[in-house]
Amino acid sequence: DAKTTQPTSMDCAEGRAANLPCNHSTISGNEYVYWYRQIHSQGPQYIIHGLKNNETNEMASLIITEDRKSSTLILPHATLRDTAVYYCIVRVGRNSGGYQKVTFGIGTKLQVIP
Amino acid sequence: DTEVTQTPKHLVMGMTNKKSLKCEQHMGHRAMYWYKQKAKKPPELMFVYSYEKLSINESVPSRFSPECPNSSLLNLHLHALQPEDSALYLCASSRGLQGIGSPLHFGNGTRLTVT
């Protein structure tokens, strides 16, 4: 799986958009970009994933550059409950055995400030 | 609330004890996972089961013994642990072969302390 690079930490004012970048310059054509987050003392939570098109769901938007070498997770109106570690993961959709070997990097610690 | 339930939430055990962690999901997922997470570190993969068969063992010491009795249940049996095994143990599941791109669903973990 391709490696990802994320800033170690970011701050965002409450109510503003949080834009979390991820660099994945060695991504392959069949690799997806996934985002998870982990709020303190909870398990990781899936947010969104995409292959090449921009994606949006009720939690966030995912913008993938045309060359697919980087992406940005956007939380449109950050709240205090969005304070968490955000993980960007690049991987093939599934292994042939029907499972996904998901490896977490260090992630970005997002602090939403009142 | 999550759709993956882990019990117990907290566990304290001595180095000579035998205990088990339990994970349950009723989403029809056919792949299940154990991760270990030390404080301020990312989760680390331990085991993967696919269709009730062990598919990945990430060189985990034998004092950790996984078991998948059926497609909804995943256990982690613990024996003769060391204090450095104290961590948050996370269970996850995903759809399996029919779910290309399907994400992992995590429980909230069991916080284990070995004394």
Side-chain angles (χ1 to χ4, degrees):
Chain A
D1 298 331
K3 284 196 67 172
T4 62
T5 305
Q6 299 178 252
T8 307
S9 64
M10 293 180 64
D11 290 339
C12 177
E14 189 179 16
R16 304 296 295 267
N19 297 287
L20 292 97
C22 180
N23 184 288
H24 32 79
S25 57
T26 61
I27 192 169
S28 301
N30 62 347
E31 288 184 311
Y32 289 72
V33 180
Y34 290 79
W35 284 84
Y36 290 79
R37 74 179 182 183
Q38 188 172 22
I39 295 168
H40 183 61
S41 296
Q42 295 183 20
Q45 177 190 24
Y46 164 76
I47 301 172
I48 199 167
H49 74 282
L51 183 61
K52 58 178 90 172
N53 298 322
N54 297 338
E55 302 288 344
T56 295
N57 63 21
E58 64 278 3
M59 288 182 69
S61 294
L62 174 61
I63 307 298
I64 303 174
T65 58
E66 195 168 338
D67 62 9
R68 303 211 319 124
K69 292 186 177 182
S70 65
S71 60
T72 301
L73 179 75
I74 300 172
L75 308 177
H77 304 287
T79 71
L80 298 178
R81 287 176 293 180
D82 293 320
T83 292
V85 177
Y86 287 77
Y87 298 102
C88 170
I89 295 161
V90 169
R91 56 153 299 110
V92 178
R94 64 161 186 254
N95 287 58
S96 59
Y99 56 86
Q100 301 201 18
K101 186 177 177 182
V102 176
T103 302
F104 289 85
I106 301 297
T108 296
K109 184 171 172 56
L110 175 69
Q111 181 72 48
V112 180
I113 302 167
Chain B
D1 289 346
T2 72
E3 295 166 306
V4 176
T5 304
Q6 291 188 244
T7 53
K9 287 185 169 45
H10 301 274
L11 178 63
V12 179
M13 60 184 291
M15 289 188 284
T16 58
N17 290 160
K18 284 186 182 180
K19 297 285 186 185
S20 297
L21 309 185
K22 182 178 171 182
C23 174
E24 194 166 2
Q25 57 87 16
H26 295 287
M27 294 178 282
H29 289 176
R30 302 308 299 273
M32 296 187 77
Y33 310 74
W34 280 115
Y35 281 81
K36 172 182 177 179
Q37 187 174 27
K38 303 281 278 184
K40 300 191 188 307
K41 299 288 187 184
E44 294 177 14
L45 184 64
M46 299 174 73
F47 302 104
V48 179
Y49 273 83
S50 179
Y51 293 79
E52 294 96 69
K53 288 188 170 31
L54 183 64
S55 297
I56 293 180
N57 176 341
E58 293 283 83
S59 303
V60 179
S62 60
R63 57 185 184 270
F64 296 91
S65 175
E67 179 196 19
C68 190
N70 59 56
S71 59
S72 301
L73 283 175
L74 186 66
N75 298 319
L76 187 62
H77 304 296
L78 314 172
H79 173 54
L81 294 194
Q82 304 296 312
E84 58 264 29
D85 296 321
S86 298
L88 181 68
Y89 288 85
L90 293 159
C91 174
S93 68
S94 67
R95 240 187 274 157
L97 282 170
Q98 71 273 34
I100 186 165
S102 65
L104 269 60
H105 294 249
F106 282 84
N108 282 328
T110 294
R111 188 158 301 279
L112 175 68
T113 303
V114 182
T115 61

